[in-house]
Structure formats: structure tokens, C-alpha cells
Amino acid sequence: MRLRVIDAFTDRPFSGNPAAVCLLDLPDWPQDTWMQQVAAELNLSETAFARPLPPGGEADWALRWFTPAVEVDLCGHATLATAHALHSDGSLPEGSVRFATRSGVLTAQAAPDGVLTLDFPASPADPVPVPEGIAAALGTAVLAAYDTGALGDLLVEVADETAVRSLDPDLAALARLRVRGVVATAAADDPAAGYDFVSRFFAPAVGIPEDPVTGSAHTALAPLWSARLGRPDLVGLQASARSGLVRTRLRGDRVLLSGHAVTVLDGTLAL
């Protein structure tokens, strides 16, 4: 069974966010236990499994995502990586593909220059009281907190880009929060550097201490910063050790997430 590791939201290897992609030639899913074991063995933040659907339906492929610990409802970088795998194989019908997922039908479009664009539902960034203990868990003051609805993350704004980059959180404390993950964000210190806002994403509760570049988190970051900055088109830098850029476009109740991807490993799963 073919397995690829693809770095997403980057145009060079060993940066961005690596995802494993397994394109299945099966009429139905393998056992959930097996897919979870594969994801745990690979130990990347996400492993994507996709299988083709019969023609004529609302989607072309069914797609599921697993962290090393659990199956999740939405993942941006592994969707981008799956689209990249299909595009590399020449399997994107008319340059686009529709995925049936737990979060509905998601579309990916490939441009001639290799940029891939995901069409995801926008997530709300609704203000909530700053949870008790979150500042201590992150190790920095929290200016504001936001609920992200079905996305299941806690989004918090901190003082500035330096504060985001300097975070050294108490992961055990974050894991006790009843959220998928915690997104910390601030405006870019210098928008002339090529990005408008920065973020980091911590999700120890689902087996991801820190995710290098989180596409799904940008479905909430984009509405927040587009409203703040007064522009629908922005660039977010996720300031992890690997780093990556996510171009966002707010379009009604949808967010377009764009970036490159690079295959770094192409092999066979010996099972």
C-alpha cells in the first residue's frame, strides 16, 4: 500500500507541516483500529486516509484524518497534502477535487503554478471570558479569548509577535482544558515582512504537543484578523520551529486557505 509524507503550507522540504497520505483503492474503509495504529506508528500530527467514491455523487473521494491518538473532524494541512498527492498523480478532475468528510464536502483546487486552495467553512471567533489559568498555562498575559464553535479550539490573543514566538506552555495544563487545542495569536510586528498575523497551535489533548502549521485553525484566525484589519485577503505565519505560511481569503461563511506542498517521502506500507 502506497504511503507518502508531504510537507504542507511550504514550497521547500523539511518545513511547513508534514502529513502522511494513504490513498486507498478499496470499496470501503479499513478497520478504524488499523488506521489509528498506522497514525500512531507514523507519529505525525495527522495521517490522512482517502478512498475514491463512485462517480456522479456529491464528492470524488472520502477523506478521514487521524492524529497519533484520535480521529479528528477537520484538518487543513493533511487535506492540502492529500490534494497535492492527487495532483501529482494527475487525479484532480479539471483541477479540483471534492472530499466527503466529517465536516461536510470540502473542495481543493490546484492552480497551474502548483498553489493549492482549500475551501473550508469559516469558524466563528466569538469573544468569551478569559478562562482561569490559561495565562499561567501559556506563560504570558492573555488579552482576549474566543470560542471557535464546532472547530473546538480556544483562540487567545496575546500581546505581540514576540510573545507568540516565546511561548513555552505547560502542556499538561493545556491538555486538561476541554478543547481540541489552543491557538495563540497576535498581529505581525512588521506586515512588510510578508505576513499579517502570527499564531501557534498546541493540542496535547489529541496527541499533538505543538502542530507546525494548522490549516483548520486559520478558519477562525482569518475571520478574526480580517475583521480587525479590514481586508478579506491575509497571510498568516505559524511561528513554529518548522514554520509555514497560510494565505487566507474570507468569502462569506467560507474561508479559502492556500499554500504549496512538497513530497518528501514516497514508499510502501508493508502491511
Side-chain angles (χ1 to χ4, degrees):
M1 188 174 295
R2 188 179 182 187
L3 179 74
R4 279 170 272 194
V5 174
I6 297 170
D7 289 344
F9 293 114
T10 183
D11 59 1
R12 63 186 189 279
F14 314 124
S15 59
N17 199 354
V21 176
C22 188
L23 300 181
L24 304 166
D25 186 16
L26 300 171
D28 207 344
W29 293 112
Q31 289 188 348
D32 290 3
T33 302
W34 179 82
M35 290 189 284
Q36 187 64 73
Q37 288 174 331
V38 171
E41 179 75 12
L42 295 170
N43 201 33
L44 297 173
S45 60
E46 301 284 351
T47 297
F49 297 90
R51 62 180 181 85
L53 296 175
E58 66 174 2
D60 308 300
W61 288 76
L63 177 63
R64 295 170 69 179
W65 313 279
F66 290 79
T67 78
V70 299
E71 183 175 7
V72 296
D73 293 335
L74 186 66
C75 178
H77 85 279
T79 304
L80 194 87
T82 304
H84 174 78
L86 292 169
H87 183 57
S88 300
D89 294 347
S91 301
L92 280 184
E94 298 182 357
S96 66
V97 62
R98 300 165 299 165
F99 295 114
T101 77
R102 280 181 158 188
S103 294
V105 175
L106 307 175
T107 302
Q109 180 82 31
D113 63 359
V115 172
L116 296 157
T117 298
L118 309 177
D119 185 340
F120 274 24
S123 299
D126 294 327
V128 295
V130 175
E132 184 178 354
I134 188 64
L138 288 173
T140 193
V142 172
L143 305 182
Y146 303 87
D147 177 74
T148 61
L151 187 61
D153 296 332
L154 176 67
L155 174 60
V156 299
E157 185 180 355
V158 300
D160 52 26
E161 181 173 337
T162 299
V164 173
R165 291 181 178 274
S166 301
L167 291 174
D168 184 16
D170 180 343
L171 295 175
L174 293 184
R176 291 192 290 269
L177 299 173
R178 295 184 177 181
V179 294
R180 180 187 71 152
V182 175
V183 189
T185 189
D189 284 349
D190 179 12
Y195 52 91
D196 301 289
F197 61 90
V198 295
S199 67
R200 289 175 68 186
F201 182 83
F202 306 97
V206 296
I208 307 171
E210 180 172 5
D211 197 34
V213 190
T214 314
S216 60
H218 284 74
T219 65
L221 288 163
L224 175 71
W225 288 111
S226 285
R228 187 80 58 84
L229 300 175
R231 290 184 282 121
D233 292 3
L234 300 174
V235 179
L237 171 72
Q238 195 151 331
S240 66
R242 292 175 62 98
S243 190
L245 292 172
V246 183
R247 299 185 180 277
T248 67
R249 171 173 291 180
L250 189 61
R251 192 172 66 181
D253 62 353
R254 310 290 294 183
V255 175
L256 304 184
L257 308 172
S258 297
H260 289 86
V262 182
T263 301
V264 295
L265 184 151
D266 192 342
T268 301
L269 187 63
L271 290 175

